[in-house]
């Protein structure tokens, strides 16, 4: 009733917000005081004035009083729509509001048009404009409520109509106005610009997968939007950083590849709406703008590496890195090669000083960039990667380097070097790079802390895994084999060297030494798969005794891994394994027999318990378990040994 004009406009304006908040609270079950019928009646009072809302007038008050009540009502209803629109769980309100949405959309768009005139047009136009909710004499007093309500109303309007073809022109107007507001607000204090976050949400609502295309938003418009975000990206406040993280994620997921790859572009239809923002563009200017956008927070982090970043700052940097690799992968082959040196240089520099929490994101980005670069011309791509590898070799040169117990940045650069090396052929003009890398890895295996040794061995294992997974493309088997042949003896020595010092070390260092040994065993166990049939048996004659030598029950973790690898090798190469076991020394044979017996004794109670559980659950399953043949784990290798010839 107060909205109908039977109370003062000041009271009516306040009632709109209170009623909306109260109805929403009751509809989501936070209050048991109202049933659905009562909620419907309250909401009915709020919406009953909508058909004649533009004519609302308080004759006893100034002309701006009516404007404030009108705007307060449609803003409150916009806030309700945002809170209850699908996929929100509160559907009672949505069902009640659904019949009023066409009229609300009409009022919201009229409000947006009023706002554009009030805030951006000269007085000559304001005087002659027939505003829906304001009159020119009261324009100054009405401006405040328009500015306050615009983010909520434009966000609700864009979210509702962003998928409708008939609303394309109005969406263009909303998009242009949001961009203008955000550009102006970027130079204002935070207290006066927090309210414009709704404009960013509105932009994201408009730019969905259907609309974020050159057909809806021409290249010049996309460039202008990214330029606007560039004004905000360096603002350090957490609220801004979180909002921009969501905005960047939305752009990454929805932007059309047609902006980057001319081969995918289609001729824009003649009736397509004009760009809301005019600017001069070129085929690659959008990529330049996006790179500037995502690099700015990264550059700030590089310039002040000692500054501790907030959670919001870290989230923004992670999203920037994700956008970096995604936008790069969208480029056509020719342009990709043009940007590859710049992108690799940025990422390599990041690995030297980036905050530790961001290293995994940088590594993942580098891996994706290298993978994306493989679609380009091989000769050019490998030359660029070779230059990047040389840069990393210089950065990680162990000569004169004082390596800390856990030099995270060094370890990250070593893994990055491996990810580039696997994309370079082993022979030809890249042989020298591989030889330098092998020499560097060898020095790290001999004289570096355990954590760095682990990193080097993990890198070699990564080479082997990639070679086994992708034998038809780079990396080739030859690259992995070259590193195994060169560094295999050093890794075998490392097994025994770290074992001799582990009892004299602290608990933390012992755990690191154990990790080194486990990684080495995994690499050595993968080596036979990379060898030829002729080389397999000689290789196993070294591998099997080496693994058995690590079987020490007192060293539970290493012992467990070593035994599992021995069993895996025996299962994969049964004939070669039998031949090698026949040549084992009595001590190693006894070690293997004791380990397998202990393993069998440990597994038998667990097997019996499992069988009993199965039997209790299903008689049929028990019968199948009894009848099914079992593979018995051999625990006595005495008959593997060939008896000596009779004299």
């Amino acid at each position: 009733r107060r909205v109908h004009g039977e109370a003062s406009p000041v009271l009516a304006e306040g009632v709109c917000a209170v009623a909306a908040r109260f109805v929403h609270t009751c509809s989501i079950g936070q209050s048991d005081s109202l049933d659905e019928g009562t909620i419907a009646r309250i909401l009915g009072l709020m919406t009953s004035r909508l058909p004649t809302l533009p004519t609302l007038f308080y004759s006893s008050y100034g002309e701006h009083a009516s404007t404030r009540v009108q705007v307060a009502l449609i803003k409150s209803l916009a806030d309700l729509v945002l809170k209850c629109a699908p996929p929100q769980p509160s559907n009672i309100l949505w069902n009640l509001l659904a019949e009023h949405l066409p009229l609300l959309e009409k009022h919201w768009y009229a409000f947006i048009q009023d706002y554009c005139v009030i805030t951006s047009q000269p007085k000559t136009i304001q005087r002659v404009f027939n505003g829906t909710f304001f009159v020119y004499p009261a324009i100054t007093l009405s401006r405040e409520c328009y500015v306050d309500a615009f983010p909520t109303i434009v966000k609700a309007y864009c979210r509702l109509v962003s998928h409708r073809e008939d609303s394309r022109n109005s969406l263009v107007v909303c998009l242009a106005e949001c961009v203008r507001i955000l550009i102006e607000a970027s130079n204002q204090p935070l207290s006066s610009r927090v309210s414009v976050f709704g404009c960013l949400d509105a932009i994201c609502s408009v730019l969905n997968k259907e609309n974020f295309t050159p057909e809806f938003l021409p290249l010049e418009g996309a460039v202008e939007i990214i330029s606007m975000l560039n004004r905000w990206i360096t603002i350090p406040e957490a609220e801004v950083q979180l909002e921009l993280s969501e905005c960047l994620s939305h752009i990454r997921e929805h932007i059309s590849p047609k902006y980057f790859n001319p081969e995918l572009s289609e001729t824009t239809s003649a009736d397509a709406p004009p760009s809301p923002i005019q600017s001069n563009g070129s085929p690659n200017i959008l990529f330049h703008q996006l790179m500037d956008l995502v690099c700015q927070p990264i550059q700030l982090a590089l310039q002040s590496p000692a500054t501790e970043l907030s959670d919001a700052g870290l989230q923004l940097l992670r999203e920037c890195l994700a956008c970096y690799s995604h936008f790069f992968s969208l480029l056509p082959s020719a342009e990709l090669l043009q940007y590859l040196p710049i992108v690799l240089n940025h990422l390599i520099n990041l690995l030297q000083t980036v905050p530790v929490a961001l290293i995994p994101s940088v590594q993942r980005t580098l891996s994706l960039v290298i993978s994306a670069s493989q679609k380009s011309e091989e000769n050019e791509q490998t030359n660029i990667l070779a230059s990047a590898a040389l840069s990393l070799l210089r950065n990680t040169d162990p000569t004169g380097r004082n390596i800390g117990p856990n030099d995270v940045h060094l370890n990250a650069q070593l893994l990055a070097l491996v990810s580039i090396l696997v994309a370079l052929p082993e022979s030809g003009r890249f042989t020298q790079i591989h030889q330098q890398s092998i020499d560097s890895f060898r020095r790290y295996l001999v004289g570096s802390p355990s954590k760095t040794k682990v990193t080097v061995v993990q890198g070699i294992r990564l080479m082997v895994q990639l070679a086994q997974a992708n034998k038809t493309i780079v990396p080739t088997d030859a690259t992995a084999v070259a590193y195994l042949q060169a560094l295999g003896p050093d890794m075998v020595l490392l097994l025994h060297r770290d074992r001799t010092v582990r009892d004299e070390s602290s608990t933390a260092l012992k755990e690191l030494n154990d990790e080194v040994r486990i990684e080495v065993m995994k690499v050595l166990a993968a080596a036979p798969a990379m060898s030829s049939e002729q080389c397999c048996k000689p290789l196993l004659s070294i591998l099997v005794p080496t693994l058995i030598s690590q079987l020490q029950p007192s060293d539970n973790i290493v012992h467990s891994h070593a035994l599992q690898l021995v069993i895996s090798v025996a299962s994969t190469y049964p004939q070669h394994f039998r031949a090698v076991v026949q040549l084992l020394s009595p001590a190693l044979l006894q070690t293997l027999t004791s380990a397998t017996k202990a393993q069998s004794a440990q597994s038998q109670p667990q097997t019996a318990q499992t069988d009993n559980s199965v039997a209790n659950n299903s008689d049929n399953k028990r019968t199948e378990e009894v009848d099914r043949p079992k593979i018995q784990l051999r625990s006595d290798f005495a008959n593997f040994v060939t008896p000596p010839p009779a004299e």
Side-chain angles (χ1 to χ4, degrees), residues 131-196:
T132 304
F133 301 117
F134 81 96
V135 292
Y136 178 75
I139 192 171
T140 302
L141 296 175
S142 303
R143 181 186 178 93
E144 180 183 353
C145 69
Y146 268 88
V147 171
D148 177 68
F150 180 80
T152 302
I153 291 177
V154 74
K155 181 179 176 181
Y157 179 78
C158 291
R159 183 171 297 183
L160 284 184
V161 306
S162 60
H163 295 278
R164 294 193 344 219
E165 287 289 335
D166 60 346
S167 301
R168 173 168 287 193
N169 290 334
S170 62
L171 287 173
V172 168
V173 173
C174 295
L175 194 61
E177 191 61 22
C178 288
V179 170
R180 184 187 66 81
I181 292 171
L182 289 167
I183 290 175
E184 293 178 354
S186 62
N187 297 319
Q188 299 174 1
L190 180 63
S191 58
S192 62
R193 67 187 179 213
V194 170
S195 61
V196 304

Side-chain angles (χ1 to χ4, degrees), residues 73-148:
L73 178 58
I74 59 175
K75 178 191 174 184
S76 300
L77 292 172
D79 189 53
L80 272 180
V81 168
L82 290 173
K83 290 177 178 177
C84 69
Q88 300 298 329
S90 176
N91 289 323
I92 297 175
L93 275 180
W94 181 252
N95 294 334
L96 294 173
L97 284 168
E99 62 179 296
H100 304 289
L101 291 180
L103 194 54
L104 275 174
E105 291 174 8
K106 178 182 177 181
H107 288 331
W108 288 338
Y109 187 59
F111 166 88
I112 293 170
Q113 290 177 311
D114 286 356
Y115 177 86
C116 294
V117 173
I118 291 175
T119 58
S120 63
Q121 296 300 318
K123 292 183 178 180
T124 54
I125 295 179
Q126 292 174 352
R127 286 192 185 97
V128 299
F129 181 77
N130 186 20
T132 304
F133 301 117
F134 81 96
V135 292
Y136 178 75
I139 192 171
T140 302
L141 296 175
S142 303
R143 181 186 178 93
E144 180 183 353
C145 69
Y146 268 88
V147 171
D148 177 68

